[in-house]
């Protein structure tokens, strides 16, 4: 089944703002809360049952990262929100998975809504998953619709004390998570790039109606991809420029780096759109060409044989008084006549360069 | 009957500005004025006969919300305008239902013209209704063309003291009403999204000329929807940024939230336009493909049988002197000749991959 | 005859700037100068022979409005220009009726070039007329190519002391005149809107090649309309924002109102363009569909009968040795064969959903 | 031969910047240097052999205008450049005739690169010529590829003391020269406008494949024209806004005037592009319509006669046992049958409104 | 094999930022490091084995230019990076050859990523090569994927003390290198311009399906070229405007010059795109025209002969009772009938201007 173009939430219409209703499909059985707490010296990783268990870590000055997979249990989010003092609109947006990517600055915290992508090889579809990220003074909260491996690389780097992440603050962690998401876009674009390459070869060698459907499919995916890629770029740009005290100066150079990547992603999506448009134009022109070729074959054959058949028809008539029929050389003469007509026609078509 | 593209008002041409003339269809028998007056402690709801009855409520510091359904009785609006001290141009714009959405800041009050949408399932048409909203220091006035249930949710919340609305000022009420209108856009977009999904499936499985008409219909609706959605976004943006003292600081975060929603609406309309354009391209290519297929069938059949018929015609001629006719193996030889010609043709078409 | 795309003035090339040459058609026999002079108490209306007659009114503090219909007598303009101290470039622009709409601020006066529209019902053409307006501290000058009724409503309001105009200054008069021009755009758009509605119905019910020509005609008119509507909006916007002391603060709210109208005009022109583009796409697709339908009928008939005719041709051959001809059941067998072939073909076409 | 799309200069690649190499065709035998030196009282006009002869005039406070026709003698330019103290990059740009129009402010002088147009009636091509203009405190230098009459009008006005030019400074002279160039654009646009008018009439009355080629030609010319018109507008705009002390305040109002003209030129080019696009769409639709018409004729004739021919074929068979052949009314019955079939077919086509 | 649309680097996903991994093809056997050190008096040119050998030159106040051809030996870059104190993100970007062109200001140095172009004559493909450039207070580092001659001209000028380069600082050297890269774009555009010219002639004289493929090829190349040309322009613009102390005031006028060139490049790419679009439209219209022509020939021949053949068929029937067959003038009458039908048909087609 195709993914939905638009997530509507009729059950929300009419509720006061800040009402917590999960909009989206229930994807996992039970939400999973995992916590990592670290500074350059210490490291704690734990699965958590009750949201309140996070709060003791929250109090310390070490960086606390709480990740929630699965959003359908509204109660859990409410309790987490109460613990970390999240604005009701933040909670509402986390739950509404059909949201447009955005960045909001609530002075004491930054709130980001993003789309992570995954690519389904079979159907060739890009599946967006909403990832919400809250960056506070000593903590980062992330919320995902289901468990994906998207942040595994970051976790490994924290565990193994690799790179800069253990010695830096929560803003660097947020950057590392954003970087993981943008890297993911690269992966998906790489796969699509291969497919478009293959499609182009197919188009240039032997296009079929199936080629058209694939073309349409990729154009459609690009429309939807564009819808998430542009705001991603904007968000990272405004994060980099933001004057929030939550983002340290030395982290900004890294944000500039992923801004470049996000720009590259948008650029590539636009390039793909252009290429696919060009390919559709080519397809249409090829179809016109082929119709033209088919028509020429029909016209040549019909134009040569229809008059000849007419001549044969004439001498198939049964009039009693048809002198030609009795002539000795009538039959060969008719053959000659036909040959002349056919050759004349062929010369005409040759002159017009029809074959 | 289709809705009008453009509301013209020839009766207004030449009148001085501020002349009160109702432009639009008379949709209800008698305008209905309903008043709600509340603060966190008290709540009064009343239907009102004479516009002057509102003014006693207007004088108090509690929030007064007057809603008028039906705009054709100009007198009523004039008296209401006099009571609440509205600028003549405001009254003129309220009455002119063909107006472009806009926000105007008259220092002592803010004036908004908006379009609420409803979706007619049968015809698949989006019907815009003009809603005007005046936000004053202690009151909100709303004007609708006819009675729709669009604000019922807000009314219920006020009555039942649910959410934040009872404890907040008129700016929050205005926000809640705007939110109700934007939610309505979501509802309509959700329905259209379903229809476009269905249309796409139809297009990919079995397109007919009716599919084309539907495609055209939706493209047209998107053109008109876009015309109301873009200004909606602008209005909410300038409301949020406006320095009017009528909008309290703490309400702005909520306005930012519906700005996001309005942005999402615009985004979705643009995405639908892109998708529908892609679908039209697909339709055109499919038609070309089908014409090509039809041509191939005709060409194959005609190209094989026309020469054969010619051969048959030859030996149907009545020349006295046709030696082949008397040969013992003449008839089978002709069959053989025909078979060779037909097979040759078939091989040619196969080589060209026509079937 | 079609209106010109572009007014060129070869006679002007090479002349020094400020040279007064009338560029455009001579539309009236003799220019007509009419003067209205009023304040809230007094009102004088007069037709004037010699431009110098205006100057006595010019000296008073009452508002003086001089309107000139017909621009081909350069002398008259020169004398008027001298009297009111107009810059030579202003006079040059008034005379050059092919000018782009614009606003120029000459400190002591504001100069506007605008296009008023009229709609010729027969040909469906929009005829632009250049209207120039000079706003000075106590006067307004207007210049039209020929006598149109466009300002009649304003005149009536001044005469009959209706609305605000008599009690306000020349800036309000200028506003009222601009409003009359913009109202005129509404009128024209209303008529075009009706025509496009009709065209759309024609397109959806029974399109003909004439429909295509009408479509083209309206697209063309929209290109030309757009060329005058966009600068109109810009001009009113910069007039409203201008810091000229000639525009009083209280008039700006009215200018904001006609800015909204001008914006609406531009919006509507763009919407019409979008709709017409959509209609052209529909037309093209319908043509493709119809060609496809025609091809199917031809292919079905030809594909069924050409092979049958071939079979008949076979048994019309005159070979002496054709055993089938002598069989008792030969003839019915051939009929049977033909019926089987025809039915098979029909089933094939049915399977392909060709009918 | 068609003009080049792009002037490349392989001989320049790798040279240090400021290297003087003439890029372009040699158009005149010998460069011609003409000098005009004037103030309101005196006037000297002279043809000059050696560039150094200019320098004595350069020293005086009167306005000195040196015009060079023909750029291929690099030496001459070098000596002139040395005399007037031009930056090496200015000289390089003057010589490179494939340059993009631009304005550069070298404090002590302003440097403009522009394209003057001429229109070749036979081929319908617009030929751009590069004109460089240097405006100094007391002089104006102009450089043209060959001798065109483009500045003749200005020369005449200086000689005959007509207009403002003699009493104004070099900035006004530069303005007058720019005005002459922009006037030239008007002339070319006027001619193209006429051609497009003619083409449109041809398209609406009797389009041929030659019409298509003309359409393509004009679209192409518009692409190239646009490439020179847009920068022209930008240049004049930044000249008008520039804070260079070389442009006096009172000249700016004149620059605003040619800015309007340049804007009009750009506007007109865009309008022409829109109109030509519309005409191409019309052409394509007409072709589709015509193909459809041709198909209908073929289908009607073939669909009526192919079945009739089949019936005739049936009774042309030579089976011994064909009872119908012996019936008295067999022949008329067949005619009846055929008539019924033909009329049925015709009614069917009529119902489908094919004719 | 076609070049890749998109360089993906799956091996990088999940690594911490600043990880040095070479992304791209290994193009040379062994990286080659060449060093030039000069001031106006001295000049040293040397091939270098170990990156550390550069550092002694780095210490002096003369300009040091280190060029690296071949990027796959990460170690070498790491050591060079350490020596010149490059930021890890700079090294990462140098190695990632799929990067978007960009300019980054690291206070103590400027970092540029650019694409140099080369044109493969056989395949008609534009091959972009990533060139990274680091501008420091006394040095310039350049990194190329393989050894191209692109900077040879600059080297020669330094060696031979030609032009300004020896007497200027490293910013002028950076400018000269950028100029060499932009000159290279000109070369490639010049070649493409020739090809497009040839293609246009082919299109206007005798278009074939191969023409379509070439058209598609160039459109595709333009999409990809545009993707590198736009950022090039932006980079040079921000370099010129940058307030970095590394760029001296007197160098900015030269940067303005290559900005003009880069602008010209972008302009030309856009113009080529427009021209190619126009050519594709022309191709499509020509195909439609040709199909129409083919159809006309078929229709004329078929429409004339099919009815005639029917008439012949009639009198080929074997009814016993066919009085016409026995008429003396039956046969000539039939001929007459046929001639009338044929001439009528021809007149009809002539009237419709089909031939």
């Amino acid at each position: 089944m195709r993914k939905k173009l638009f997530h509507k939430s009729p059950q929300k219409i009419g509720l006061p703002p800040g009402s917590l209703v999960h909009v989206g499909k229930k994807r996992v059985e039970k939400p999973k809360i995992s916590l990592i707490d670290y500074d350059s010296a210490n490291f704690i990783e734990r699965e958590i049952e009750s949201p309140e268990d996070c709060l003791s870590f929250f109090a310390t000055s070490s960086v606390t990262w709480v990740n929630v997979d699965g959003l359908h249990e509204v109660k859990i989010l409410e309790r987490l929100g109460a613990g970390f003092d999240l604005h009701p609109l933040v909670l509402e947006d986390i739950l509404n998975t059909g949201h447009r990517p955005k960045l909001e600055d609530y002075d004491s915290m930054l709130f980001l809504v993003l789309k992570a992508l995954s690519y389904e090889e079979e159907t060739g579809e890009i599946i967006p998953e909403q990832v919400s990220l809250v960056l506070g003074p000593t903590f980062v909260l992330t919320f995902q619709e289901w468990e994906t491996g998207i942040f595994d690389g970051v976790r490994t780097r924290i565990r193994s004390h690799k790179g800069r992440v253990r010695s830096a603050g929560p803003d660097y962690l947020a950057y590392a998570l954003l970087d993981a998401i943008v890297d993911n876009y690269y992966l998906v674009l790489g796969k699509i790039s291969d497919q478009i390459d293959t499609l182009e070869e197919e188009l240039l060698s032997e296009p079929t109606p199936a080629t058209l459907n694939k073309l349409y499919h990729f154009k459609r995916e690009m429309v939807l991809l564009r819808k998430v890629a542009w705001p991603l770029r904007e968000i990272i740009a405004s994060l980099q420029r933001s004057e929030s005290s939550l983002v340290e100066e030395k982290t900004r150079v890294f944000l500039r780096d992923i801004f470049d990547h996000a720009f590259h992603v948008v650029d590539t999506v636009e390039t793909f759109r252009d290429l696919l448009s060009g390919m559709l134009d080519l397809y249409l022109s090829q179809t016109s060409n082929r119709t033209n070729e088919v028509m020429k074959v029909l016209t040549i054959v019909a134009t040569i044989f229809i008059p000849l058949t007419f001549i044969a028809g004439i001498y198939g008539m049964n009039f009693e008084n048809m002198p030609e029929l009795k002539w000795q050389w009538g039959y060969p003469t008719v053959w000659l006549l036909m040959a002349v007509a056919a050759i004349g026609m062929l010369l005409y078509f040759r002159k017009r360069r029809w074959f």
Side-chain angles (χ1 to χ4, degrees), chain A:
Chain A
M1 214 199 79
R2 299 211 134 228
K3 70 175 162 292
K4 281 284 183 137
L5 290 174
F6 184 79
H7 296 267
K8 63 176 190 291
S9 46
Q11 73 268 37
K12 282 207 62 179
I13 310 282
L15 290 188
S19 305
L20 299 187
V21 176
H22 178 233
V23 179
K25 278 196 270 187
K26 183 179 163 185
R27 313 257 197 173
V28 287
E29 214 33 59
K30 200 180 162 307
K32 185 182 142 194
I33 309 176
S34 53
L35 177 143
I36 292 184
D37 190 275
Y38 67 87
D39 55 22
S40 53
N42 306 302
F43 170 79
I44 299 167
E45 183 165 15
R46 199 164 295 178
E47 283 223 6
I48 274 186
E49 286 300 310
S50 146
E52 284 74 18
D53 297 353
C54 304
L55 301 185
S56 56
F57 297 97
F58 170 33
T60 66
S61 70
S62 56
V63 178
T64 310
W65 171 23
V66 179
N67 178 63
V68 181
D69 292 327
L71 303 175
H72 57 282
E73 284 198 21
V74 174
K75 278 274 163 264
I76 290 181
L77 280 183
E78 254 172 7
R79 283 152 61 193
L80 210 58
F84 285 89
D85 196 27
L86 304 182
H87 194 282
L89 288 173
V90 167
L91 285 177
E92 191 187 356
D93 288 343
I94 291 171
L95 284 166
N96 182 351
T97 62
H99 221 286
R100 200 175 175 273
K102 67 173 176 179
L103 166 69
E104 287 191 347
D105 187 344
Y106 289 86
D107 295 337
S108 66
M109 52 185 81
L110 287 168
F111 173 52
L112 287 88
V113 177
L114 297 158
K115 301 285 174 181
L117 301 183
S118 57
Y119 184 74
E120 226 168 70
E121 300 272 359
E122 296 156 77
T123 59
E125 277 195 63
I126 303 166
I127 312 291
E129 179 210 16
Q130 178 154 320
V131 177
S132 310
L133 190 152
V134 178
L135 168 62
T138 62
F139 62 89
V140 170
L141 311 180
T142 51
F143 301 88
Q144 302 181 64
E145 292 181 63
W146 65 90
E147 197 173 349
T148 56
I150 200 167
F151 293 148
D152 287 355
V154 181
R155 261 186 215 104
T156 311
R157 267 144 62 195
I158 297 175
R159 268 187 221 116
S160 58
H161 214 308
K162 227 165 88 180
R164 206 168 305 232
V165 64
R166 279 286 284 278
S167 50
D171 58 335
Y172 190 90
L173 174 60
Y175 151 71
L177 296 171
L178 276 175
D179 190 51
I181 289 172
V182 174
D183 266 5
N184 220 250
Y185 277 72
Y186 270 65
L187 245 169
V188 169
L189 284 178
K191 279 175 187 161
I192 287 173
S193 167
D194 289 348
Q195 302 257 13
I196 291 179
D197 268 353
T198 314
L199 191 59
E200 195 183 34
E201 266 165 48
E202 189 178 319
L203 188 64
L204 288 169
S205 60
E206 196 167 338
T208 65
T211 315
L212 177 61
N213 281 354
K214 281 188 217 154
L215 257 174
Y216 173 72
H217 169 75
F218 282 113
K219 280 192 82 177
R220 186 188 192 278
E221 291 303 298
M222 285 307 116
V223 169
L224 300 176
L225 187 48
R226 194 187 188 209
K227 207 179 148 184
V228 297
W230 277 92
L232 178 75
R233 196 184 76 163
E234 288 164 34
I235 285 169
I236 297 177
S238 48
L239 188 60
Q240 190 201 330
R241 282 194 315 264
S242 101
E243 287 161 7
S244 168
S245 60
L246 292 166
V247 182
E248 284 181 53
E249 201 49 49
K250 66 186 178 198
T251 308
R252 287 185 205 272
V253 66
F254 290 98
L255 287 173
R256 190 170 64 179
D257 194 62
I258 49 170
F259 171 71
D260 279 335
H261 294 169
F263 204 152
H264 194 190
V265 165
V266 165
D267 234 45
T268 306
V269 172
E270 295 301 318
T271 305
F272 284 176
R273 275 169 68 95
D274 273 7
L275 290 174
L276 288 167
S277 283
M279 284 160 79
L280 188 64
D281 286 347
L282 179 62
Y283 185 88
L284 259 173
S285 304
Q286 284 174 335
T287 309
S288 288
N289 268 340
R290 275 198 312 274
T291 300
N292 192 263
E293 285 308 302
V294 171
M295 288 299 311
K296 275 186 193 165
V297 170
L298 175 59
T299 303
I300 291 171
V301 169
T303 307
I304 290 175
F305 284 99
I306 286 178
L308 301 188
T309 304
F310 162 69
I311 297 174
I314 287 288
Y315 296 104
M317 293 194 296
N318 298 320
F319 285 99
E320 288 188 350
N321 183 15
M322 286 180 69
E324 297 96 319
L325 295 181
K326 282 145 202 156
W327 292 351
Q328 167 118 35
W329 299 105
Y331 181 52
T333 309
V334 162
W335 267 119
L336 194 69
L337 180 66
M338 286 173 174
V340 167
I343 288 167
M345 226 77 93
L346 283 171
L347 290 177
Y348 173 79
F349 293 133
R350 168 64 85 191
K351 211 187 87 196
R352 292 207 154 197
R353 299 188 176 272
W354 282 15
F355 66 98

